Amino acid sequence: MWRMEFGAGGARVAGAFFPELVEWLPVLERLGVPLEVAAQVAAQARAEGGDFAAGLVTAGVVCSPALLDAVAHDIGIAVADAVDPRRLLVSDTHVIALLRRRDGHLPVKLVEKDGSISFLIALDRIGLGLVRARLRSSPGLAARMKLVDPQIMRAAMLRRAAPLLARTAVGGLFEKFPAMSARIVANAWQGTMVGVLLTALPVGILLEPGAVLMALHVLITLFFFACVVLRFAAVASIRPGQPVAHVPLPEGDVPVFTVLVALYKEAAIVPGLLAALDGIVWPRHRLEIKLVCEADDAGTLAALRARRLPAHIEVVEVPPGEPRTKPKALAYALPMTGGDFVALYDAEDRPHPLQLAEAWQRFRDGGPDLAVVQAPLEISNRHESAIARMFAFEYAGLFRGLLPWLSQRRLMLPLGGTSNHFRRAALEEVGGWDPYNVTEDADLGMRLARFGYRAETISCPTYEPAPTRLDIWLPQRTRWFKGWSQTWLVHMRDPVRLAGDLGAGSFLVAQVLFAGMLGSVLLHPLLLATFLLLLAGLLSGEFGGTAGSVLLVVDTVNIVCGYLSFLLLGWQTLTRAERAGFWKTVLLTPPYWAMMSWAGWRAIWQLWRRPHLWEKTPHEPDAFWTGRRGGQPLYSTAERRRPGFGRHRTAPPLAPA
């Protein structure tokens, strides 16, 4: 056909540029694929480092069954229409290796119903010339070989590996480092200490109320001033309005990046998520995206199946089982990925297109001890409610101020729950995510530091909406506080060893960030109550003296410095436009802290009753992923004018199936 349409010269020219077309010639002629179309697919596959056969299917030139039948007829072997995973003759180690491979495939043995052995060959990256030559030299092999659709083959291997992946996800960290797992909330001595305190406190209040009140004041002062000192130290070195760094476009032999996104009951925001992922600037042949869903989440899975996903995006279904947490789902998916670096996003995230490129640049320049980089999280709906305003203010202080300050001083970094970019080797060395910790990010930051790894921050942000209602905010903040409690209890099982692992600076930071922050939140109502009682007593003359005056001064300093350090840290990180209406933030701070105290006590109750409960934060679709936030462009004009911005994608835009 080609010779009739284009002549032998045209076929020779195409073959000279794309030798794969020569070995595929009989198959393409059987399918009626025009030369210019085949050449375009070959050029695209070469540019992406992809597979020619997969490119034919992705481009819609042929359907997968027709291509499979044509290749099987050409080389003279049968087609396996279905693969029973129970009949795969493959070890656990081998099946995991096959799931991770990106550079071709190996034949997999299948035990037939009659007991004979067949060799399954997937169609992806198949060398037709080599197969033909092998069959000519050993004709008897044809009867023992079967061609299989790559998706059918991968689905069978995933079902074969599911029990192993599930066991590893749940028990991997506990088996490897039992002392660093939150499977057991508190050890014996920690439980004893809690029991002693719960018994001694009410007895002390009955017997010596004055002494107990003074002791509580000292404790509160320690918690509050530790947090205040840390915030003021960060305030002193913050440079407000830092722009996004200039990041070169990824070119040449870049590493493979794996992007993991955990979804649960997120059907409504699937279109926005896919649009955001489609904007990531990274060569598609060096990118793999895993959308990790619970197998019984019918709504989200249906929404994903309704979309035509490109070859680099795969849906991973996690079998139901306890604990039902995000880190368990991530731990299930990680072994089947092949990236050198692993990025983590939430379903509602809108990452800056060049974020992977900046992360890779930092890893390349940072050395092998740099295990993770944290991108800043920006709130896209700060003006929608009072809660969203305060949430955005908190995030500004944390991601623009405190975390960069800690990073610059090479101190322990409590990671955010999303937009973490990991060096895979380091992530696996420390045991990966803890499925029993409901703030797996903070725990992993601590564990990486204990193993001697560094964490840094980058500048390309991720935008996400904040909770706008109390009934959404409260469960989320409860989970955070509960997870910080888990993290502190787990790593404080051996305080001396922890101090040796982290060093003095990071050890103190860990105490302030976990015990100090949570303690100040829990004790805040008590501080306010005693302040008001002391003030009323002194004004009425009911009691006074030096002790009462000293306590009142201490309480006043605690309250003023606590609020002031919180407000200054956030103010210092705001842009001029964001500072408009700052008086609202000042007025909202006391009730917001009262809300946090409510969430803190709720977290302590859950830590006792349901320590591994993951309270899902619901997300609603918003207009953010269309490219605007709060009436302003999502990215600046200068960013949009950069060469290659938004056009480095080498896969077709996502579309409904």
Side-chain angles (χ1 to χ4, degrees):
M1 181 188 70
W2 285 5
R3 289 171 178 80
M4 288 190 293
E5 293 185 6
F6 301 99
R12 282 196 300 271
V13 171
F17 283 100
F18 305 106
E20 59 268 36
L21 296 185
V22 176
E23 66 177 11
W24 280 86
L25 175 60
V27 175
L28 297 171
E29 286 187 330
R30 176 177 295 276
L31 293 168
V33 179
L35 173 63
E36 74 274 16
V37 173
Q40 289 173 2
V41 171
Q44 182 82 351
R46 181 176 296 180
E48 298 176 5
D51 176 43
F52 175 67
L56 290 171
V57 176
T58 301
V61 177
V62 296
C63 65
S64 183
L67 180 61
L68 199 68
D69 289 339
V71 173
H73 186 276
D74 175 67
I75 59 180
I77 64 175
V79 173
D81 296 322
V83 177
D84 186 346
R86 295 169 298 180
R87 294 183 176 276
L88 290 174
L89 196 60
V90 58
S91 67
D92 289 343
T93 303
H94 190 195
V95 75
I96 296 299
L98 288 170
L99 289 172
R100 292 177 64 164
R101 288 181 69 90
R102 293 178 52 91
D103 55 347
H105 64 275
L106 296 173
V108 178
K109 294 180 180 180
L110 177 72
V111 180
E112 301 286 0
K113 292 181 179 180
D114 61 2
S116 62
I117 303 295
S118 295
F119 291 90
L120 299 180
I121 300 179
L123 187 58
D124 56 332
R125 301 185 185 274
I126 186 172
L128 281 182
L130 293 175
V131 174
R132 290 191 190 104
R134 182 68 183 274
L135 291 177
R136 281 197 300 268
S137 62
S138 303
L141 283 178
R144 302 179 58 194
M145 295 174 65
K146 287 187 176 180
L147 198 64
V148 62
D149 183 286
Q151 292 185 351
I152 293 177
M153 184 66 186
R154 185 166 180 84
M157 288 194 295
L158 284 172
R159 290 196 299 272
R160 168 68 174 77
L164 171 64
L165 293 171
R167 290 195 304 272
T168 303
V170 173
L173 178 65
F174 186 76
E175 292 173 4
K176 191 173 184 178
F177 303 115
M180 295 188 181
S181 169
R183 180 174 175 177
I184 299 173
V185 176
N187 64 9
W189 78 263
Q190 290 173 326
T192 301
M193 289 299 298
V194 170
V196 170
L197 288 174
L198 291 177
T199 303
L201 186 60
V203 172
I205 291 176
L206 288 174
L207 298 179
E208 292 289 343
V212 172
L213 182 63
M214 182 63 72
L216 286 176
H217 269 76
V218 172
L219 182 65
I220 293 171
T221 300
L222 290 175
F223 278 126
F224 265 77
F225 266 84
C227 300
V228 165
V229 169
L230 186 63
R231 291 192 188 110
F232 276 139
V235 167
S237 61
I238 290 176
R239 301 288 186 271
Q242 292 295 306
V244 173
H246 179 83
V247 181
L249 295 174
E251 295 177 348
D253 188 21
V254 297
V256 175
F257 243 106
T258 293
V259 173
L260 296 179
V261 185
L263 299 92
Y264 183 57
K265 297 183 179 180
E266 303 284 15
I269 64 173
V270 162
L273 168 65
L274 295 179
L277 295 175
D278 195 43
I280 291 176
V281 176
W282 197 259
R284 290 317 189 236
H285 69 287
R286 308 297 286 172
L287 177 67
E288 59 176 22
I289 298 176
K290 307 295 183 184
L291 305 179
V292 189
C293 305
E294 296 290 333
D296 56 1
D297 184 5
T300 303
L301 290 172
L304 290 170
R305 288 167 184 153
R307 314 289 294 188
R308 189 179 65 211
L309 301 179
H312 65 282
I313 298 182
E314 180 183 26
V315 177
V316 176
E317 298 185 27
V318 182
E322 295 297 331
R324 294 186 69 116
T325 62
K326 172 185 168 183
K328 196 275 291 281
L330 297 174
Y332 181 91
L334 182 63
M336 67 180 71
T337 66
D340 304 299
F341 298 91
V342 179
L344 179 62
Y345 293 119
D346 284 341
E348 72 276 16
D349 286 350
R350 310 293 178 259
H352 189 289
L354 293 173
Q355 194 178 107
L356 295 191
E358 185 181 10
W360 158 234
Q361 183 183 50
R362 188 64 62 86
F363 280 122
R364 183 183 56 193
D365 299 339
D369 64 330
L370 178 59
V372 59
V373 296
Q374 171 72 62
L377 303 183
E378 300 282 348
I379 297 304
S380 59
N381 62 339
R382 66 174 60 239
H383 300 297
E384 288 190 12
S385 73
I387 289 178
R389 169 184 285 274
M390 295 304 298
F391 202 97
F393 184 76
E394 274 190 289
Y395 264 35
L398 178 64
F399 289 99
R400 300 180 191 173
L402 184 59
L403 293 189
W405 182 83
L406 293 172
S407 170
Q408 291 163 9
R409 284 149 186 81
R410 297 198 170 192
L411 295 171
M412 191 280 298
L413 208 67
L415 302 175
T418 177
S419 304
N420 317 134
H421 303 260
F422 296 97
R423 190 183 299 275
R424 186 198 186 98
L427 180 62
E428 292 180 332
E429 181 186 344
V430 303
W433 294 281
D434 184 352
Y436 292 96
N437 193 311
V438 296
T439 52
E440 75 292 339
D441 43 4
D443 167 67
L444 195 48
M446 179 88 89
R447 207 164 351 117
L448 286 167
R450 294 190 67 174
F451 277 74
Y453 286 107
R454 291 189 297 111
E456 293 185 1
T457 58
I458 56 178
S459 64
C460 287
T462 293
Y463 297 93
E464 65 177 26
T468 56
R469 306 195 315 265
L470 179 61
D471 61 331
I472 297 176
W473 178 92
L474 183 61
Q476 182 189 66
R477 191 55 61 103
T478 297
R479 174 165 53 83
W480 291 1
F481 284 145
K482 182 171 65 173
W484 294 353
S485 303
Q486 287 178 314
T487 299
W488 187 79
L489 287 169
V490 165
H491 292 279
M492 282 293 287
R493 289 169 179 168
D494 188 343
V496 175
R497 181 174 178 180
L498 178 64
D501 291 344
L502 293 178
S506 287
F507 179 79
L508 290 175
V509 166
Q511 302 309 308
V512 174
L513 290 176
F514 297 116
M517 293 291 184
L518 182 60
S520 63
V521 162
L522 295 175
L523 297 173
H524 183 248
L526 180 61
L527 178 66
L528 287 177
T530 54
F531 169 77
L532 293 175
L533 287 173
L534 286 169
L535 182 61
L538 289 173
L539 292 177
S540 65
E542 184 176 340
F543 60 89
T546 304
S549 300
V550 169
L551 289 178
L552 182 62
V553 170
V554 169
D555 287 350
T556 303
V557 171
N558 274 332
I559 294 171
V560 171
C561 287
Y563 288 157
L564 185 62
S565 64
F566 173 78
L567 292 168
L568 280 179
L569 178 61
W571 166 269
Q572 191 76 346
T573 62
L574 298 180
T575 64
R576 179 173 296 181
E578 291 170 339
R579 288 176 176 176
F582 182 69
W583 61 272
K584 298 178 184 178
T585 302
V586 175
L587 293 180
L588 287 169
T589 295
Y592 192 69
W593 276 36
M595 288 166 52
M596 286 198 288
S597 183
W598 180 12
W601 283 107
R602 189 169 180 266
I604 297 301
W605 173 259
Q606 279 195 10
L607 187 67
W608 176 43
R609 301 293 295 175
R610 305 182 70 184
H612 305 129
L613 171 67
W614 183 283
E615 289 190 284
K616 163 70 180 163
T617 303
H619 303 107
E620 296 294 333
D622 57 25
F624 178 77
W625 63 272
T626 62
R628 304 188 70 81
R629 66 178 190 277
Q632 300 298 320
L634 176 56
Y635 301 109
S636 68
T637 302
E639 287 179 299
R640 289 183 176 276
R641 289 176 177 172
R642 289 192 56 195
F645 183 87
R647 292 183 283 106
H648 201 69
R649 150 180 98 219
T650 55
L654 295 165

